[in-house]
Amino acid sequence: MTEPPIGGPTQGGPYEPNAGAGQAQPGTAPGPDAVRMDKDRERAEREHHDTEEPFEGPLHMLSQAAWQVVLLTGIASLILGILVLVWPGATLVAVGVLFGLYLLVSGVFQLVSAFGTHKKTSLRVLAFLSGGLSILLGLLCFRGPMQSILLLALWIGIGWLIRGVTQTMAAVSDKGMPARGWHIFLGIVTFIAGIVLIDSPFESIAVLTLVGGWWLIVVGIVEIITSIRIKGRAKDIPQTV
């Protein structure tokens, strides 16, 4: 008569007395001890991560610089808009001087391009005439503030006139243009604004100065508010990389 082997039930039996406590057997749900151990491990990892000293990451540095730049731009726009509304006459004179400088510099570049870059004779002549006219108009701007303001108003008016005609004609001829009706309307409004500016240059340019001043104030306020929101959201950007 054979004796049963010493050491308990045979291997592969229904019960394993040496199985680790809390470890889930294949095909069974994890026990409460295993769940508790996993939670303790996750809690320990979070505490270890929180106690680590964070360092500044590139994304965090960019977010800090972004809101500061937007804030400075908003403050500058706000101050410039207030100055335009407080001293509109001085603003017009300053704009006229800058316009004269622009005409002089652009005229010189056009003369240089007439002798250097254009190969055809017709393009050389056209660039030479355009550059000479720009220099002449720029010199007229420095004869007095009224001349510069008048030339600036006429320059803007002629530009709006040409743009209005071009935009309206393009929208009328192209039936497949997106928002075709709005383009036609905007072209007509730009054309009428150009005529008004050419007909009454001084009054129109003064109105444009006031509109520009209020526009700068509104833009400045919006940018300051935007910078505050960017600063608030920058706290959510992780410092570690």
Side-chain angles (χ1 to χ4, degrees):
M1 183 176 183
T2 60
E3 296 181 359
I6 302 175
T10 59
Q11 185 176 3
Y15 176 72
E16 291 286 346
N18 295 329
Q23 294 181 354
Q25 298 297 324
T28 62
D33 294 336
V35 175
R36 190 181 304 108
M37 291 175 60
D38 292 339
K39 290 183 179 179
D40 293 340
R41 189 183 302 108
E42 292 178 0
R43 187 182 302 108
E45 291 178 356
R46 285 198 302 267
E47 292 176 355
H48 177 70
H49 182 269
D50 294 338
T51 55
E52 289 181 351
E53 188 70 21
F55 61 93
E56 295 290 331
L59 188 59
H60 184 74
M61 295 175 62
L62 288 176
S63 65
Q64 294 295 325
W67 78 264
Q68 294 175 1
V69 171
V70 175
L71 178 62
L72 292 177
T73 305
I75 294 174
S77 299
L78 183 61
I79 294 175
L80 183 58
I82 294 174
L83 293 177
V84 169
L85 295 180
V86 173
W87 294 293
T91 304
L92 284 176
V93 173
V95 172
V97 172
L98 293 176
F99 179 64
L101 289 174
Y102 162 74
L103 290 177
L104 285 177
V105 174
S106 64
V108 171
F109 276 110
Q110 289 179 24
L111 287 180
V112 173
S113 65
F115 292 102
T117 58
H118 299 297
K119 297 181 180 180
K120 295 183 179 180
T121 305
S122 58
L123 295 179
R124 289 178 183 271
V125 174
L126 183 61
F128 182 81
L129 293 177
S130 178
L133 181 60
S134 295
I135 293 176
L136 179 61
L137 293 176
L139 293 175
L140 289 177
C141 288
F142 292 103
R143 295 193 60 183
M146 292 297 102
Q147 285 85 350
S148 61
I149 295 173
L150 176 62
L151 288 176
L152 177 61
L154 293 177
W155 187 280
I156 297 175
I158 294 173
W160 284 1
L161 193 69
I162 297 175
R163 178 179 176 82
V165 172
T166 304
Q167 188 172 4
T168 304
M169 294 296 295
V172 170
S173 60
D174 187 5
K175 296 183 179 181
M177 176 183 293
R180 181 167 170 260
W182 285 107
H183 282 284
I184 296 175
F185 174 76
L186 185 59
I188 294 174
V189 171
T190 306
F191 176 78
I192 295 174
I195 294 177
V196 172
L197 196 57
I198 294 173
D199 182 64
S200 303
F202 294 105
E203 294 82 359
S204 302
I205 203 70
V207 173
L208 287 178
T209 303
L210 294 177
V211 173
W214 283 110
W215 178 78
L216 287 172
I217 290 177
V218 173
V219 170
I221 294 174
V222 172
E223 289 185 344
I224 291 174
I225 296 175
T226 304
S227 67
I228 296 174
R229 293 182 177 179
I230 293 176
K231 182 181 179 181
R233 293 184 179 180
K235 299 178 181 179
D236 299 332
I237 299 178
Q239 292 181 325
T240 56
V241 293

